[in-house]
Every structure is written in C-alpha cells, then in structure tokens.
Amino acid sequence: MREGKGKQGNKAQETRRRIIEAAGALFIEQGYGATKLQEIADRAGVAVQTIYFVFRNKPSLLKELVDVAIAGDDEPVPTMQRPWFAEVMTAPTAESALAALATGTRKTLERVAAINEMVRAATATNPEIRELWPDQADPRYSVISTAAKSLTEKPGARPAISVEEAADIIYAILSPELFLVLTRDRAWSPAKWEKWAYDTLSSQLLVDDGF
C-alpha cells in the first residue's frame, strides 16, 4: 500500500512539473494573456481538466510558476532559508560573501528573469494578476538588504558605505532587467554576467587591496 501511494505521489508530482514547465514556456513565448489553458495542457500531455484540478485556474498556475522559478523547486522553503543564501550569510569575508551572492543570484535569474518580465507585462493588462501579489515590501529587496547588512559587517567590506547604499547598489546590479539586457539582448553567457556583476560590485563594496 505504501509503495502504491508513493508511485501515485511521484506521478502527481511529475504531472505538476510538466504543467508548470509547459506554462512557463508558453507564457514567455506568447504572453500570459494570449496563452490558453488548452495549449498548456496539450504541451504538457494532460487533459485541460487536470490543470483545473491541480491549480484551479490560470492565475494560480502563474503564481505557482513564479514561486517554483524563484526557489528552483516546489519545496516551501523561503529564499533566505536556502543553502546558497546561507553561504552568503556565513561566509568569513565580504569577498567570499559577494562571490556566493553573485553565484546564487545568477542561478536564480537564469530561471526567473524572463518570467519576471512576462509577469510585469501581464500585470498591466490583467488586473487579476495584481491580486496575486498584494502591495507589500519588495521580497527581492528584502533578500538583498539582508545580504547587504551581513556583507558590510564582514572583513574586507568598504567601511564608508552604509547598509542602505550597499543594498541599493546590489539591487541595481543584480536586477533581472539588467541580467536580460546582457544575457539575452547582448548574448552574454550567464558565467560572463556573473563575473561582470562580481567585479562591478567588488569595485563598489570591497576594500581595494591596491591601496
């Protein structure tokens, strides 16, 4: 009996994954408003009724897509409790913290940057989407400001820079918009973007060993 339940659970999880992947691809290709649930069902290889059963409606499917893209999986673990963020917080120096932050952000933006752009466009014409994310503190800024506070307290951080200024600089350089400009529009590899982001932030936030 346990084995049967396990197999059913794995099948349901795989179905959920296929629907989310199909939705993400079609929303980015066609736009949220232009994409029909039947198209998502066809690409995922499921009945459209399955999407209604699993996600209830199209906005809920979008919300799940965004949550999974940010996290990298469907586990209910917030970003600031993820292993990569723990590396930022526990790094012994500002330099190693910044390197961990650049790497972790690059991996996140590879999944979420294009989706973030799609959601921005969809929100302008689909009022129901705005209800998915009610007015609140920007979660991305909350993550970055926490990282900035930790980084500025570590050896190697530039002493004259405030936590607020450091957070603003990191928020701008590691933005999904700038990531897309360089990796999509200018065809940089994500690895090249990561090195550039780290080097740029180093010049702003870390002590210059040359002086």
Side-chain angles (χ1 to χ4, degrees):
M1 291 295 291
R2 288 183 180 179
E3 183 180 355
K5 289 182 179 179
K7 289 181 178 179
Q8 289 179 353
N10 290 339
K11 184 178 179 181
Q13 189 174 26
E14 173 62 20
T15 298
R16 189 182 192 91
R17 183 192 63 78
R18 291 206 315 272
I19 294 170
I20 290 172
E21 287 184 356
L26 286 167
F27 287 161
I28 292 170
E29 290 171 14
Q30 303 178 170
Y32 172 84
T35 300
K36 308 301 182 185
L37 287 181
Q38 185 63 60
E39 294 176 296
I40 297 172
D42 291 343
R43 180 168 293 200
V46 302
V48 71
Q49 289 85 357
T50 301
I51 297 179
Y52 285 113
F53 177 76
V54 175
F55 297 100
R56 300 194 314 277
N57 54 43
K58 191 174 169 184
S60 294
L61 173 55
L62 176 65
K63 178 68 162 58
E64 183 75 7
L65 166 65
V66 172
D67 290 346
V68 169
I70 291 172
D73 55 48
D74 57 2
E75 296 297 323
V77 180
T79 297
M80 286 191 281
Q81 294 178 23
R82 293 275 167 174
W84 76 264
F85 194 78
E87 289 184 29
V88 177
M89 301 298 288
T90 60
T93 66
E95 181 181 8
S96 56
L98 186 58
L101 181 61
T103 298
T105 302
R106 186 260 300 168
K107 292 177 180 178
T108 301
L109 290 178
E110 285 185 274
R111 299 188 303 266
V112 81
I115 292 172
N116 181 75
E117 183 181 60
M118 175 271 295
V119 170
R120 281 178 175 268
T123 301
T125 55
N126 297 270
E128 72 273 13
I129 294 178
R130 286 192 285 270
E131 298 175 4
L132 298 176
W133 292 280
D135 293 337
Q136 58 181 350
D138 182 345
R140 190 171 77 84
Y141 187 81
S142 297
V143 169
I144 285 175
S145 61
T146 300
K149 184 177 187 302
S150 177
L151 187 150
T152 56
E153 294 172 348
K154 297 180 186 293
R158 183 169 292 184
I161 195 164
S162 67
V163 174
E164 291 76 14
E165 185 177 359
D168 288 347
I169 292 169
I170 297 170
Y171 186 79
I173 298 299
L174 301 187
S175 69
E177 294 83 4
L178 192 49
F179 179 83
L180 287 177
V181 166
L182 294 175
T183 60
R184 183 188 63 191
D185 300 345
R186 301 308 308 158
W188 283 23
S189 69
K192 181 178 179 179
W193 173 89
E194 181 183 333
K195 183 179 185 306
W196 169 82
Y198 173 80
D199 290 344
T200 302
L201 290 171
S202 293
S203 68
Q204 295 289 313
L205 304 177
L206 305 184
V207 173
D208 188 344
D209 291 335
F211 292 90

